[in-house]
mmCIF file of all heavy atoms in Angstrom:
data_model
loop_
_atom_site.group_PDB
_atom_site.id
_atom_site.type_symbol
_atom_site.label_atom_id
_atom_site.label_comp_id
_atom_site.label_asym_id
_atom_site.label_seq_id
_atom_site.Cartn_x
_atom_site.Cartn_y
_atom_site.Cartn_z
ATOM 1 N N ILE N 92 -42.557 5.374 -7.144
ATOM 2 C CA ILE N 92 -43.534 5.834 -6.140
ATOM 3 C C ILE N 92 -44.035 7.190 -6.401
ATOM 4 O O ILE N 92 -45.241 7.479 -6.266
ATOM 5 C CB ILE N 92 -42.877 5.736 -4.759
ATOM 6 C CG1 ILE N 92 -42.631 4.263 -4.335
ATOM 7 C CG2 ILE N 92 -43.737 6.384 -3.680
ATOM 8 C CD1 ILE N 92 -41.806 4.088 -3.051
ATOM 9 N N VAL N 93 -43.169 8.133 -6.833
ATOM 10 C CA VAL N 93 -43.582 9.481 -7.079
ATOM 11 C C VAL N 93 -44.436 9.571 -8.339
ATOM 12 O O VAL N 93 -45.497 10.252 -8.292
ATOM 13 C CB VAL N 93 -42.401 10.406 -7.239
ATOM 14 C CG1 VAL N 93 -42.789 11.800 -7.637
ATOM 15 C CG2 VAL N 93 -41.607 10.517 -5.878
ATOM 16 N N MET N 94 -44.047 8.887 -9.368
ATOM 17 C CA MET N 94 -44.870 8.875 -10.566
ATOM 18 C C MET N 94 -46.222 8.159 -10.398
ATOM 19 O O MET N 94 -47.274 8.661 -10.885
ATOM 20 C CB MET N 94 -44.085 8.178 -11.744
ATOM 21 C CG MET N 94 -42.950 8.983 -12.226
ATOM 22 S SD MET N 94 -42.096 8.122 -13.624
ATOM 23 C CE MET N 94 -40.612 9.140 -13.818
ATOM 24 N N ALA N 95 -46.257 7.039 -9.671
ATOM 25 C CA ALA N 95 -47.465 6.358 -9.341
ATOM 26 C C ALA N 95 -48.361 6.101 -10.519
ATOM 27 O O ALA N 95 -49.584 6.138 -10.464
ATOM 28 C CB ALA N 95 -48.219 7.111 -8.277
ATOM 29 N N GLY N 96 -47.736 5.837 -11.718
ATOM 30 C CA GLY N 96 -48.496 5.505 -12.884
ATOM 31 C C GLY N 96 -49.196 6.697 -13.554
ATOM 32 O O GLY N 96 -49.966 6.455 -14.505
ATOM 33 N N ASP N 97 -48.969 7.905 -13.074
ATOM 34 C CA ASP N 97 -49.659 9.049 -13.564
ATOM 35 C C ASP N 97 -48.722 9.796 -14.571
ATOM 36 O O ASP N 97 -47.667 10.276 -14.124
ATOM 37 C CB ASP N 97 -50.092 9.936 -12.454
ATOM 38 C CG ASP N 97 -50.924 11.127 -12.877
ATOM 39 O OD1 ASP N 97 -51.124 11.300 -14.108
ATOM 40 O OD2 ASP N 97 -51.367 11.918 -11.995
ATOM 41 N N PRO N 98 -49.097 9.949 -15.803
ATOM 42 C CA PRO N 98 -48.237 10.631 -16.767
ATOM 43 C C PRO N 98 -47.939 12.087 -16.349
ATOM 44 O O PRO N 98 -46.879 12.650 -16.656
ATOM 45 C CB PRO N 98 -48.992 10.609 -18.089
ATOM 46 C CG PRO N 98 -49.916 9.413 -17.909
ATOM 47 C CD PRO N 98 -50.275 9.368 -16.499
ATOM 48 N N SER N 99 -48.878 12.735 -15.681
ATOM 49 C CA SER N 99 -48.646 14.123 -15.263
ATOM 50 C C SER N 99 -47.634 14.299 -14.212
ATOM 51 O O SER N 99 -47.154 15.445 -13.904
ATOM 52 C CB SER N 99 -49.966 14.778 -14.808
ATOM 53 O OG SER N 99 -50.460 14.078 -13.604
ATOM 54 N N ARG N 100 -47.177 13.180 -13.608
ATOM 55 C CA ARG N 100 -46.200 13.226 -12.523
ATOM 56 C C ARG N 100 -44.836 12.779 -12.965
ATOM 57 O O ARG N 100 -43.935 12.567 -12.129
ATOM 58 C CB ARG N 100 -46.671 12.365 -11.309
ATOM 59 C CG ARG N 100 -47.958 12.819 -10.693
ATOM 60 C CD ARG N 100 -48.490 11.792 -9.700
ATOM 61 N NE ARG N 100 -47.570 11.599 -8.585
ATOM 62 C CZ ARG N 100 -47.573 12.340 -7.478
ATOM 63 N NH1 ARG N 100 -48.486 13.340 -7.324
ATOM 64 N NH2 ARG N 100 -46.728 12.139 -6.501
ATOM 65 N N ILE N 101 -44.629 12.669 -14.291
ATOM 66 C CA ILE N 101 -43.340 12.183 -14.805
ATOM 67 C C ILE N 101 -42.255 13.213 -14.481
ATOM 68 O O ILE N 101 -41.158 12.807 -13.985
ATOM 69 C CB ILE N 101 -43.448 11.914 -16.332
ATOM 70 C CG1 ILE N 101 -44.292 10.720 -16.602
ATOM 71 C CG2 ILE N 101 -42.030 11.714 -16.934
ATOM 72 C CD1 ILE N 101 -44.511 10.375 -18.107
ATOM 73 N N VAL N 102 -42.482 14.448 -14.755
ATOM 74 C CA VAL N 102 -41.473 15.460 -14.470
ATOM 75 C C VAL N 102 -41.170 15.530 -12.986
ATOM 76 O O VAL N 102 -39.969 15.648 -12.582
ATOM 77 C CB VAL N 102 -41.942 16.835 -15.013
ATOM 78 C CG1 VAL N 102 -40.916 17.931 -14.630
ATOM 79 C CG2 VAL N 102 -42.154 16.784 -16.492
ATOM 80 N N LEU N 103 -42.195 15.457 -12.158
ATOM 81 C CA LEU N 103 -41.969 15.465 -10.758
ATOM 82 C C LEU N 103 -41.147 14.245 -10.270
ATOM 83 O O LEU N 103 -40.234 14.364 -9.460
ATOM 84 C CB LEU N 103 -43.317 15.483 -9.986
ATOM 85 C CG LEU N 103 -43.246 15.436 -8.447
ATOM 86 C CD1 LEU N 103 -42.530 16.710 -7.950
ATOM 87 C CD2 LEU N 103 -44.649 15.323 -7.858
ATOM 88 N N GLY N 104 -41.447 13.101 -10.855
ATOM 89 C CA GLY N 104 -40.710 11.885 -10.468
ATOM 90 C C GLY N 104 -39.224 11.977 -10.922
ATOM 91 O O GLY N 104 -38.309 11.606 -10.128
ATOM 92 N N ILE N 105 -39.006 12.513 -12.103
ATOM 93 C CA ILE N 105 -37.600 12.684 -12.542
ATOM 94 C C ILE N 105 -36.830 13.653 -11.678
ATOM 95 O O ILE N 105 -35.688 13.449 -11.252
ATOM 96 C CB ILE N 105 -37.582 13.156 -14.037
ATOM 97 C CG1 ILE N 105 -38.165 12.043 -14.948
ATOM 98 C CG2 ILE N 105 -36.132 13.462 -14.427
ATOM 99 C CD1 ILE N 105 -38.256 12.470 -16.436
ATOM 100 N N GLY N 106 -37.514 14.799 -11.356
ATOM 101 C CA GLY N 106 -36.901 15.789 -10.497
ATOM 102 C C GLY N 106 -36.557 15.311 -9.104
ATOM 103 O O GLY N 106 -35.507 15.544 -8.563
ATOM 104 N N ALA N 107 -37.533 14.539 -8.554
ATOM 105 C CA ALA N 107 -37.302 14.039 -7.205
ATOM 106 C C ALA N 107 -36.172 12.994 -7.192
ATOM 107 O O ALA N 107 -35.361 12.946 -6.252
ATOM 108 C CB ALA N 107 -38.591 13.361 -6.678
ATOM 109 N N THR N 108 -36.130 12.188 -8.245
ATOM 110 C CA THR N 108 -35.070 11.141 -8.336
ATOM 111 C C THR N 108 -33.692 11.794 -8.424
ATOM 112 O O THR N 108 -32.770 11.413 -7.705
ATOM 113 C CB THR N 108 -35.356 10.224 -9.506
ATOM 114 O OG1 THR N 108 -36.604 9.598 -9.349
ATOM 115 C CG2 THR N 108 -34.258 9.156 -9.610
ATOM 116 N N LEU N 109 -33.556 12.708 -9.377
ATOM 117 C CA LEU N 109 -32.258 13.335 -9.582
ATOM 118 C C LEU N 109 -31.845 14.242 -8.424
ATOM 119 O O LEU N 109 -30.659 14.331 -8.067
ATOM 120 C CB LEU N 109 -32.231 14.144 -10.884
ATOM 121 C CG LEU N 109 -32.439 13.329 -12.151
ATOM 122 C CD1 LEU N 109 -32.379 14.217 -13.395
ATOM 123 C CD2 LEU N 109 -31.456 12.191 -12.282
ATOM 124 N N GLY N 110 -32.852 14.860 -7.810
ATOM 125 C CA GLY N 110 -32.564 15.693 -6.638
ATOM 126 C C GLY N 110 -32.024 14.860 -5.464
ATOM 127 O O GLY N 110 -31.045 15.256 -4.807
#
Side-chain angles (χ1 to χ4, degrees):
I92 291 174
V93 174
M94 291 182 187
D97 186 357
S99 64
R100 297 171 63 89
I101 291 178
V102 176
L103 179 62
I105 295 175
T108 301
L109 297 182

